[in-house]
Amino acid sequence: MNALAAGEVSPGLLGFLVVAALGFALYFLVKSMNKQMSKIDLPHAGEPDDGKAK
């Protein structure tokens, strides 16, 4: 018998869905962040800085 005792709590399906949704959201946010970070153009060591602001 796999019944919960009185006072025991289980996260159930709703808890799983919330955690899964947070996982998917985190995956896509990290993927988007990596895409945005790759767009940043930083000067490399040894290159002269011409002082121009973009």
Side-chain angles (χ1 to χ4, degrees):
M1 188 168 190
N2 196 10
L4 292 176
E8 258 185 71
V9 186
S10 172
L13 180 61
L14 180 61
F16 171 75
L17 292 176
V18 168
V19 171
L22 288 172
F24 281 117
L26 179 64
Y27 171 77
F28 288 112
L29 284 170
V30 169
K31 189 174 175 183
S32 174
M33 180 191 67
N34 285 334
K35 185 175 163 185
Q36 296 299 321
M37 292 290 281
S38 67
K39 291 181 182 179
I40 297 174
D41 186 26
L42 296 175
H44 296 284
E47 290 184 0
D49 185 15
D50 58 4
K52 293 181 193 172
K54 288 188 175 181

